[in-house]
Amino acid sequence: MTIAASLPIAHRQGNLAPLCAAAATYLLLLVSGDGLLHDPDTLWQIKVGQWILDHRAVPWTDVYSLTRQGDVWLSTSWLSQVLFAATYSHWGWAGPVILAATAIAAAMGLLLALLQRHLTLPYALVFCLLAMTLATPHLLARPHVLALPVMVGWAGALMAAADRGRAPSFLLLPLMVLWANLHGGFVLGLALIGAIGLESLWRAAPARRLALTLKWVAFGLAALVASCCTPYGLDTLLGALRILSLGTSFAVIAEWRPADFSSFSPFAGALLALLGLALSRGLSLSPPRVLLILIATWMALAHIRSIETFGILVPLVLAQPLGTGIRPTASDAPRALWMVPPAPAALVIVMAVASATAALVAHHAFAFSATQTPVAAVDVLSERKGARIFNSYGFGGYLIVRDIKPFVDGRSELYGEKFLMDYFAAEDGRDVAGLLRMLDDNRIDATLLTADSPAAQILDHIRGWKRLYADAIAVIHVRDEQQATTPPK
């Protein structure tokens, strides 16, 4: 970034900066690549992707779980799963790490390019750093990161159209097709059409508003059709909406919990900085832009998973109003949306990044987080031929990889709100009777729970169950038929 900023020709600064930012982001993620492998969902995502490759089809029903076998389940991230599975089969864990790091880096570079249309490089970099910081806890080798550059490009292009008081080009529709096949978050992209479209109408002359409204409506309908260009067709929308219908169970799933302000966090700092910016600069935003910021803030407050959306969307909304105050002269007119960096310099950067990647992969073996993989415990269960297992939520993905049907796993939309609420109440020790009922009704012969699970502590004192194995990661309990049939003294 220092090199890019020192170039004497202004347009070259603008052209090289996004590529430099993308390269720096990629290398940073690659060096800390094991940090991208800290989510058990990555395991079953790869397993599903391999199933799709093997069967040349997408799943319509569940084939993995113990409790939902045969129920309807659509993989709304099928393309991401295929990409992760293909890279994993060829390069081991280095494949998903490189794939995820590339997508995240592309998103950050693209965000910087979009912001530079209105902001000078230092201001644009600050916003990109903020977005990266807010997204860091959720930067994992999972489908949502592959869709991240698509989300940035889609939201940025819509805002660019609104800034000009125009309707977006239909050439953007392939982005929606790609997004809908990569991740179920494409529903956000559809919602943004209406929210950002209001800004375009606000800026347009009254005589143009009717015609412009019709263009935005036409684009919205076309985007809706484009989102159904997947192997599931119209059912793509139904599959994505099932995730949004989990209701109160969001509160017990870690990534869907509300934001916590009991201690200072980057998100709290971002909200305070946003408030300070508004107060110090006296920003006057149009009502549609205020609405966009309020919606993004509410989403981030309601679900920590949406904090990364806040970090990307808010800078795009603020860029044009801030740029007007920072660079009011005619010579600082917005740059073109797409800028190609100088070919020789770009080639040098790409080759340097490729060389660094090859060198690191040759000397470092990426490995999935050991705390998410109860290897030794599952080995014990396999030796005992355990088949009906009650497991902690985070162990479901690993059980799927080991071809053991989990009681529950990260596909929350498959299990539904009631099942998840009952399960977490039982596993957390808040409903002991419910726990025992689940074990009996599902004919569970063994449990695989985290070492600190309240349910594991409870089973230590429940007649008919005995602790078979324990380590720092997992605890196994099995039925003790002899104790169960022996009358208490």
Side-chain angles (χ1 to χ4, degrees):
M1 294 313 303
T2 302
I3 294 172
S6 65
L7 291 177
I9 302 176
H11 77 274
R12 287 190 179 178
Q13 288 186 33
N15 287 350
L16 274 177
L19 182 59
C20 290
T25 301
Y26 171 82
L27 292 174
L28 177 64
L29 292 169
L30 191 66
V31 170
S32 58
D34 291 341
L36 297 172
L37 303 175
H38 275 280
D39 193 297
D41 281 0
T42 301
L43 298 169
W44 68 258
Q45 300 279 5
I46 292 175
K47 183 77 170 181
V48 172
Q50 191 58 55
W51 186 95
I52 295 172
L53 289 172
D54 293 341
H55 293 80
R56 305 288 180 178
V58 294
W60 288 83
T61 57
D62 171 58
V63 296
Y64 297 111
S65 78
L66 173 68
T67 51
R68 287 293 185 268
Q69 186 82 17
D71 284 5
V72 174
W73 179 67
L74 311 182
S75 177
T76 54
S77 302
W78 75 271
L79 181 56
S80 294
Q81 291 158 351
V82 166
L83 292 174
F84 278 126
T87 54
Y88 177 77
S89 65
H90 283 84
W91 298 291
W93 284 116
V97 167
I98 292 173
L99 182 62
T102 301
I104 297 166
M108 292 301 106
L110 181 55
L111 179 61
L112 183 60
L114 290 165
L115 293 177
Q116 280 191 281
R117 296 182 62 250
H118 300 289
L119 300 174
T120 56
L121 181 58
Y123 285 96
L125 278 174
V126 168
F127 276 121
C128 281
L129 181 60
L130 173 64
M132 185 73 177
T133 302
L134 293 178
T136 295
H138 204 213
L139 295 182
L140 301 161
R142 285 176 46 188
H144 70 274
V145 301
L146 300 191
L148 201 58
V150 181
M151 181 180 76
V152 173
W154 179 265
L158 292 184
M159 281 306 307
D163 289 340
R164 299 191 304 269
R166 300 177 183 175
S169 169
F170 281 79
L171 295 177
L172 288 176
L173 295 178
L175 275 182
M176 177 53 66
V177 175
L178 179 59
W179 195 353
N181 286 278
L182 286 172
H183 189 249
F186 72 91
V187 175
L188 171 65
L190 296 176
L192 286 177
I193 297 173
I196 296 177
L198 291 176
E199 169 65 13
S200 180
L201 297 178
W202 181 271
R203 297 173 65 91
R208 294 184 57 242
R209 285 177 181 166
L210 178 58
L212 191 58
T213 299
L214 295 177
K215 290 180 180 179
W216 275 91
V217 169
F219 179 82
L221 292 175
L224 186 64
V225 173
S227 69
C228 296
C229 294
T230 75
Y232 294 111
L234 185 60
D235 288 329
T236 303
L237 294 170
L238 302 179
L241 291 176
R242 286 187 67 182
I243 300 175
L244 301 178
S245 65
L246 289 174
T248 54
S249 61
F250 279 140
V252 293
I253 301 174
E255 63 182 336
W256 288 104
R257 289 174 183 166
D260 181 10
F261 294 100
S262 59
S263 60
F264 188 79
S265 65
F267 179 50
L271 287 178
L272 292 175
L274 181 61
L275 179 60
L277 183 67
L279 293 175
S280 63
R281 289 199 168 271
L283 285 178
S284 179
L285 303 179
S286 65
R289 288 183 191 266
V290 173
L291 179 62
L292 276 167
I293 293 176
L294 291 178
I295 291 174
T297 304
W298 175 82
M299 290 172 55
L301 291 172
H303 308 299
I304 58 176
R305 183 170 179 167
S306 298
I307 290 178
E308 67 186 45
T309 303
F310 172 91
I312 290 170
L313 187 58
V314 170
L316 291 174
V317 174
L318 290 178
Q320 193 272 339
L322 277 177
T324 301
I326 296 171
R327 304 188 318 173
T329 63
S331 61
D332 289 322
R335 297 183 177 94
L337 182 58
W338 310 114
M339 299 181 294
V340 181
L347 182 61
V348 169
I349 294 172
V350 171
M351 290 179 63
V353 169
S355 298
T357 301
L360 181 62
V361 171
H363 294 88
H364 177 73
F366 294 98
F368 194 81
S369 172
T371 59
Q372 305 289 346
T373 50
V375 180
V378 175
D379 288 342
V380 172
L381 289 172
S382 297
E383 290 175 4
R384 291 180 57 90
K385 308 296 182 184
R388 304 189 70 83
I389 299 169
F390 180 89
N391 61 280
S392 287
Y393 186 81
F395 290 158
Y398 183 67
L399 288 176
I400 290 176
V401 169
R402 293 289 296 268
D403 294 319
I404 298 175
K405 297 185 184 303
F407 188 89
V408 67
D409 58 79
R411 298 171 297 161
S412 51
E413 73 278 9
L414 169 66
Y415 296 95
E417 179 183 3
K418 184 180 185 307
F419 180 95
L420 290 175
M421 293 302 294
D422 292 344
Y423 163 79
F424 280 111
E427 204 269 342
D428 291 344
R430 291 178 282 114
D431 185 3
V432 177
L435 170 64
L436 299 179
R437 185 169 56 253
M438 281 186 178
L439 298 178
D440 291 338
D441 291 350
N442 291 280
R443 296 178 286 113
I444 299 299
D445 51 44
T447 66
L448 177 68
L449 301 169
T450 57
D452 60 350
S453 168
Q457 311 305 317
I458 291 170
L459 288 177
D460 284 336
H461 306 283
I462 296 296
R463 188 175 184 81
W465 288 90
K466 67 177 181 180
R467 180 176 288 219
L468 176 68
Y469 173 87
D471 58 26
I473 299 173
V475 177
I476 295 176
H477 285 82
V478 296
R479 288 190 182 273
D480 187 347
E481 298 299 341
Q482 181 178 358
Q483 186 189 66
T485 56
T486 302
K489 296 181 181 180

